[in-house]
Amino acid sequence: MGSCLSLLARNSIIAMGGGISSTSAKFSTQSLGLPYLSAFLDSVGTNFTHGANFATAGSTIRPQNTTLHQSGFSPISLNVQYYEFHDFLVRSQVVRKRGGVYETLLPKEEDFSNALYTFDIGQNDLTAGYFSNMSTEEVKAYVPDVLNQFQTIIQYIYGQGGRYFWIHNTGPVGCLPYVMERIPVLAGQIDENGCASPFNEVAQFFNLGLKKTVEQLRRDLPLAAITYVDVYSLKYSLISQGRKHGFTQPLRTCCGHGGKYNYNKNLGCGGKISKHGKEVLVGAPCKDPSTYVNWDGVHFTQAANQYIFEHIVNGSFSDPPIPLNMACQRKGN
């Protein structure tokens, strides 16, 4: 699962962050009738007029001091993605001036200002601490620094002409198998829906700080229109009341192997073992993923992501309560 920053123009999208960001951008483009995004690094002959995807799996806001192999978290943190974005903004206009095919493959300069920048990021910053053997109090202690760095990136984009922002808070980390299986908690710390309360409390602490950060950004950036989207409440509701909507497995992983949650960090989705000299698939997908909320212990299933997007696109979980297709407007416009 990755963090996410994406930019959604009135006629294009640019996405940054991680797996969540890419998924969010996919549903956003579909809802607006746009083609899927091409990866920024897949740049040879790619059409970027409808956007670009800077997202990488496992991204964080704060730069990590470990490799992807060591920790599972991407070295392409949010600041690196901003540098890539800035290079793209500058170089696309230089190349576009050559005319010809370049004008048909690259966005116009004004597209970067007439755009909605959407973010879904922060969860990996929390889990990176837990997986480094930090306590919940230690993780909470560095949340202000994470939010300060996030605020700086928003200010940088504003400085480059960005005016419209769609910001998701982070989800209920304590309901994810890859957290609950790897970091056991006491029985009394499991809530009525089977989630680990200590980790969800830290996520809510992060979200409270994020909302205050958004409020400060609104004061500091007078030409910006910033929408705060409460995906935490929606995701927790999906897990706690999923059976009403056909999700009979709110916590167990669809594609995995073994354990209470069908999750094993050493033998995940697609995992194989050697048996009698042959490789045998044990990390197989479930028969009906549409009844599961969680796909592989980390990411949600396509059905769950679709459910979430359909409930946030109309603005029901937004502050201010405006739909996605109206977020590129300031009050009074």
Side-chain angles (χ1 to χ4, degrees), residues 8-332:
L8 168 59
R10 287 171 182 162
N11 62 349
S12 65
I13 294 181
I14 295 178
M16 300 182 190
I20 295 176
S21 178
S22 295
T23 301
S24 178
K26 171 187 173 182
F27 287 114
S28 296
T29 54
Q30 283 180 327
S31 72
L32 296 168
L34 300 174
Y36 289 153
L37 299 186
S38 297
F40 166 67
L41 295 178
D42 183 22
S43 56
V44 178
T46 299
N47 188 331
F48 288 119
T49 56
H50 60 275
N53 190 349
F54 294 86
T56 63
S59 296
T60 55
I61 296 173
R62 293 205 310 178
Q64 298 296 299
N65 59 5
T66 59
T67 66
L68 181 65
H69 177 73
Q70 289 172 324
S71 66
F73 297 103
S74 173
I76 306 179
S77 51
L78 190 61
N79 66 317
V80 176
Q81 293 177 36
Y82 169 75
Y83 298 145
E84 292 178 338
F85 163 75
H86 181 264
D87 285 345
F88 176 70
L89 189 159
V90 173
R91 294 179 183 180
S92 64
Q93 300 315 297
V94 172
V95 175
R96 197 173 189 279
K97 289 178 181 178
R98 297 176 185 175
V101 68
Y102 300 110
E103 288 188 348
T104 67
L105 295 177
L106 295 168
K108 299 176 183 178
E109 185 175 6
E110 57 265 30
D111 290 341
F112 292 94
S113 293
N114 296 328
L116 176 67
Y117 294 75
T118 73
F119 297 74
D120 191 322
I121 192 165
Q123 179 173 298
N124 287 335
D125 289 273
L126 305 182
T127 55
Y130 301 140
F131 297 160
S132 297
N133 296 318
M134 290 186 178
S135 68
T136 52
E137 289 304 313
E138 289 173 320
V139 171
K140 284 178 70 173
Y142 69 64
V143 164
D145 180 57
V146 172
L147 294 173
N148 283 338
Q149 294 190 40
F150 177 78
Q151 181 173 342
T152 297
I153 296 298
I154 299 292
Q155 292 169 331
Y156 283 167
I157 294 173
Y158 182 86
Q160 296 299 320
R163 292 294 181 265
Y164 310 106
F165 300 89
W166 176 274
I167 300 175
H168 291 187
N169 64 14
T170 199
V173 178
C175 299
L176 299 175
Y178 87 120
V179 173
M180 293 191 290
E181 187 68 31
R182 292 175 63 174
I183 317 173
V185 297
L186 299 175
Q189 296 175 312
I190 300 296
D191 69 16
E192 66 273 17
N193 296 303
C195 299
S197 295
F199 306 124
N200 281 347
E201 289 168 3
V202 175
Q204 291 172 310
F205 176 79
F206 175 93
N207 291 339
L208 179 62
L210 179 62
K211 191 162 189 179
K212 291 180 179 178
T213 298
V214 166
E215 292 167 354
Q216 185 61 50
L217 284 166
R218 287 173 178 153
R219 291 189 289 268
D220 295 342
L221 311 177
L223 299 180
I226 307 176
T227 306
Y228 174 89
V229 186
D230 183 16
V231 296
Y232 180 99
S233 295
L234 179 56
K235 288 182 176 181
Y236 190 79
S237 174
L238 175 60
I239 290 167
S240 63
Q241 303 176 39
R243 295 179 187 278
K244 297 180 182 178
H245 309 288
F247 293 95
T248 57
Q249 296 290 344
L251 295 178
R252 278 180 62 82
T253 291
C254 168
C255 187
H257 174 72
K260 179 178 180 180
Y261 304 107
N262 194 38
Y263 173 81
N264 183 328
K265 71 172 184 176
N266 298 314
L267 199 63
C269 183
K272 298 178 181 180
I273 62 172
S274 180
K275 193 172 184 179
H276 305 304
K278 295 183 179 181
E279 280 195 336
V280 179
L281 176 67
V282 292
C286 56
K287 292 182 179 179
D288 187 2
S290 68
T291 63
Y292 283 70
V293 171
N294 200 287
W295 169 247
D296 59 359
V298 183
H299 306 96
F300 278 16
T301 60
Q302 179 84 352
N305 282 322
Q306 180 76 46
Y307 175 91
I308 291 165
F309 182 77
E310 289 175 351
H311 284 74
I312 65 173
V313 70
N314 64 2
S316 297
F317 289 82
S318 298
D319 173 28
I322 57 175
L324 178 66
N325 63 359
M326 297 293 290
C328 285
Q329 299 182 22
R330 286 188 295 274
K331 289 182 179 179

